[in-house]
Amino acid sequence: QVRLVESGGGSVQAGGSLRLSCTASGYTRYMAWFRQVPGREREAIAGIDSSGAITWLDDSVQGRFTISQDNAAKTVSLLMDSLKTEDTAMYYCAAGRASEWRWMAAYFDSWGQGTQVTVSS
């Protein structure tokens, strides 16, 4: 496991933008952002591998969110544009090192503390 430190998040009006960042204390093969609202399961929304060659965005954020990574800095960022009220959630950074993985919580062994994103109408 590695330690993940998140930054960013906050409150914004619908249509606005926010950037989340996550820095790992050590090597990770892949990292992702998950989000969770009360009463629902944590869901993956964006992921990237350590080289940046493999990226994935859930349909719910495709075209609005961009995930990027700085491998040297062990940092992954999530730029969130055109935010909607339904994007309101606690956002978590996660990392894993399996040789094969899917963008599902079971494949991640390190988690950040979470950062709240609130989008108001």
Side-chain angles (χ1 to χ4, degrees):
Q1 294 185 348
V2 296
R3 181 168 178 254
L4 302 176
V5 179
E6 300 154 342
S7 61
S11 297
V12 66
Q13 288 190 323
S17 299
L18 285 173
R19 178 187 292 273
L20 306 180
S21 293
C22 175
T23 300
S25 62
Y27 170 76
T28 65
R29 186 180 295 273
Y30 48 90
M31 296 178 72
W33 289 95
F34 288 72
R35 66 185 181 188
Q36 186 172 27
V37 297
R40 298 184 62 178
E41 291 187 359
R42 193 171 296 186
E43 60 175 2
I45 58 168
I48 191 166
D49 77 328
S50 59
S51 71
I54 299 173
T55 61
W56 170 81
L57 292 169
D58 185 72
D59 288 345
S60 64
V61 303
Q62 184 73 245
R64 300 187 299 121
F65 290 12
T66 304
I67 188 168
S68 61
Q69 58 91 22
D70 181 338
N71 197 36
K74 298 184 181 62
T75 298
V76 170
S77 297
L78 184 68
L79 175 61
M80 305 183 292
D81 294 321
S82 302
L83 283 161
K84 305 176 181 180
T85 55
E86 51 264 44
D87 294 318
T88 295
M90 184 70 79
Y91 284 68
Y92 296 89
C93 175
R97 291 171 289 179
S99 57
E100 295 183 355
W101 73 95
R102 295 182 180 181
W103 304 114
M104 299 171 62
Y107 290 84
F108 293 81
D109 57 10
S110 300
W111 293 86
Q113 77 282 3
T115 184
Q116 178 68 37
V117 171
T118 302
V119 184
S120 59
S121 59

